[in-house]
Amino acid sequence: MHIAIASDHAALELKALLAEWLAGEGHEVADLGPDSAASVDYPDFGYKLAVAVARGDAERGIALCGSGIGISIAVNREPKARCALVSEPLSAALAREHNDANVIAMGARLIGAEMAKACVTAFLATPFGGDRHQRRVDKLSAPAL
């Protein structure tokens, strides 16, 4: 699977660890930055990730920042990106099954490496349930305001 991953400076270590692990699992990984621990703005990297997923450059995305909150908000500004903030495998699996999430976000200050791997594993392995969920997912990209 082609996976894009991006973070801010607070999640640089977790991003590197997950990118290396995913590549070792046979996935194509596009690291969208940052490349150093210098302070950066998470919206810039969240937007970059969202565009990559929306364009189809990546099938799935992983967004990381200190809490996971800010970058998830940034990713969700793109109507074709559906990003869920997760902290354990069940929420990652449900994000896929019920919401057809194509991006997950995690907080590097809140989640350990092994739990992050477990979340990614569930996210990548779970198919979208379709059926009754599809009409709800359709509304996410075209809200009736």
Side-chain angles (χ1 to χ4, degrees):
M1 188 176 294
H2 192 85
I3 302 163
I5 190 167
S7 71
D8 70 356
H9 55 280
L12 190 67
E13 275 186 42
L14 182 58
K15 178 178 65 84
L17 182 145
L18 290 175
E20 182 179 341
W21 170 71
L22 285 164
E25 294 290 308
H27 298 286
E28 291 181 45
V29 181
D31 184 339
L32 303 181
D35 299 326
S36 78
S39 182
V40 296
D41 297 330
Y42 58 81
D44 298 335
F45 294 92
Y47 299 150
K48 193 179 208 182
L49 178 63
V51 167
V53 171
R55 279 194 315 231
D57 297 340
E59 297 166 71
R60 302 269 174 84
I62 300 169
L64 306 163
C65 69
S67 68
I69 297 168
I71 202 162
S72 69
I73 293 169
V75 171
N76 281 319
R77 297 288 189 229
E78 163 55 57
K80 292 180 182 175
R82 291 174 305 282
C83 181
L85 175 60
V86 303
S87 58
E88 35 61 45
L90 180 58
S91 60
L94 290 173
R96 283 288 309 134
E97 183 182 351
H98 291 195
N99 310 112
D100 198 17
N102 48 17
V103 180
I104 56 169
M106 295 179 283
R109 293 180 178 140
L110 306 174
I111 194 168
E114 293 308 310
M115 184 59 75
K117 288 179 185 178
C119 289
V120 171
T121 298
F123 173 65
L124 298 179
T126 304
F128 175 49
D131 195 35
R132 72 183 194 277
H133 302 294
Q134 186 62 59
R135 76 175 186 279
R136 297 169 184 147
V137 170
D138 291 342
K139 290 180 179 184
L140 294 173
S141 296
L145 299 176

